[in-house]
């Protein structure tokens, strides 16, 4: 979860700025898919990640070897979208049920097509800073948008407007990514950021973002 901290922190920023929600019933985002009304063991984490918790017990011997043969989790992927496995980027069509192997270290998580997910590797606690570039993961299949949010993280200066937001948009038809002009600032903010761009799990380009709008053909 720490690698997803830029995504999670941005969601939290939108809770404050736009009264958004983080944990969401499938019915919030897929009201036209009537099957979602019957699903109570999956949820959306933001508008991009579909989480399928493993709620039944798993059994292991003293050596840590699983005693459950072919342990799998049945997951429903809402209709009207394409989906990608977060860990392996395998693509699935929506409106289908899939079975995913699970173990003690993982649960099935899927990414909605048209999502933009900021990631930073190497983090081990919430407010850690490192020199790793931000990874911007674009999942194709639909148009998408995301607002990146950041602030100092160690005080209440955000209440006085000391934070930054960057609107990011993906156009499926044009295959273009627009990273908008930075809005706002805060003490200690990095003026330049190294960003590694990924599409459907594949690295495509490294860029430097200095706060001005960028339009990239991918």
């Amino acid at each position: 979860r720490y690698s997803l901290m830029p995504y999670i922190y941005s969601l939290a920023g939108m809770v404050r700025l736009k009264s958004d929600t983080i944990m969401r019933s499938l019915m919030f985002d897929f009201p036209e898919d009537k099957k979602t009304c019957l699903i109570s063991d999956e949820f959306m984490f933001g508008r991009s990640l579909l989480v399928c918790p493993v709620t039944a017990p798993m059994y292991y011997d003293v050596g840590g070897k699983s005693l459950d043969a072919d342990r799998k989790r049945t997951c429903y992927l809402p209709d009207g979208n394409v989906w990608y496995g977060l860990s392996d980027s395998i693509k699935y069509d929506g409106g289908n049920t899939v079975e995913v192997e699970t173990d003690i270290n993982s649960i099935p998580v899927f990414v909605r097509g048209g999502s933009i997910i900021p990631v930073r590797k190497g983090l081990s606690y919430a407010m850690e800073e490192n020199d790793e570039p931000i990874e911007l993961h674009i999942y194709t299949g639909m148009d998408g948008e995301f607002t990146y949010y950041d602030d100092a993280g160690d005080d209440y200066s955000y209440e006085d407007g000391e934070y930054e937001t960057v609107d990011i948009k993906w156009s499926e038809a044009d295959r273009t990514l627009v990273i908008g002009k930075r809005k706002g600032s805060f003490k200690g903010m990095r003026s330049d950021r190294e960003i590694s761009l990924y599409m459907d799990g594949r690295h495509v380009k490294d860029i430097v973002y200095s706060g001005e709008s960028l339009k990239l053909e991918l």
Side-chain angles (χ1 to χ4, degrees), residues 147-176:
T147 299
Y148 175 83
Y149 172 92
D150 199 10
D151 59 31
D154 58 0
D155 59 23
Y156 292 93
S157 59
Y158 64 88
E159 294 183 348
D160 297 320
E162 295 187 27
Y163 57 84
E164 67 164 324
T165 60
V166 179
D167 294 328
I168 308 169
K169 295 184 178 181
W170 166 253
S171 172
E172 182 73 14
D174 299 334
R175 308 293 286 184
T176 58

Side-chain angles (χ1 to χ4, degrees), residues 7 11 20-24 29 43-50 112:
Y7 174 74
L11 295 183
D20 210 347
T21 57
I22 297 180
M23 293 184 66
R24 307 164 62 88
D29 295 292
F43 63 90
M44 294 297 294
F45 191 68
R47 288 174 169 78
S48 298
L49 299 182
L50 172 64
R112 186 180 186 176

Side-chain angles (χ1 to χ4, degrees), residues 12-136:
M14 293 306 102
V15 170
R16 182 176 189 278
L17 295 176
K18 297 185 177 181
S19 300
D20 210 347
T21 57
I22 297 180
M23 293 184 66
R24 307 164 62 88
S25 165
L26 299 190
M27 292 184 292
F28 277 27
D29 295 292
F30 310 100
E32 290 150 8
D33 184 345
K34 302 306 181 185
K35 291 183 180 179
T36 62
C37 299
L38 305 175
I39 296 174
S40 59
D41 60 352
E42 301 178 11
F43 63 90
M44 294 297 294
F45 191 68
R47 288 174 169 78
S48 298
L49 299 182
L50 172 64
V51 182
C52 304
V54 177
T55 56
M58 300 178 70
Y59 300 100
Y60 295 83
D61 64 20
V62 292
K65 182 179 179 180
S66 174
L67 300 178
D68 292 313
D70 299 323
R71 177 67 187 220
K72 294 183 179 180
R73 169 68 154 92
T74 300
C75 308
Y76 178 71
L77 307 179
D79 199 9
N81 290 264
V82 294
W83 296 88
Y84 298 83
L86 179 64
S87 62
D88 54 23
S89 297
I90 293 176
K91 186 177 181 180
Y92 303 89
D93 291 327
N96 294 301
T97 298
V98 298
E99 286 193 337
V100 181
E101 293 186 4
T102 63
D103 59 42
I104 197 170
N105 295 313
S106 65
I107 60 174
V109 180
F110 300 90
V111 189
R112 186 180 186 176
S115 293
I116 301 168
I117 309 287
V119 169
R120 175 172 280 165
K121 298 293 178 61
L123 299 180
S124 55
Y125 59 90
M127 300 314 302
E128 182 179 7
E129 286 288 337
N130 62 25
D131 293 326
E132 293 293 322
I134 288 181
E135 297 180 3
L136 209 56

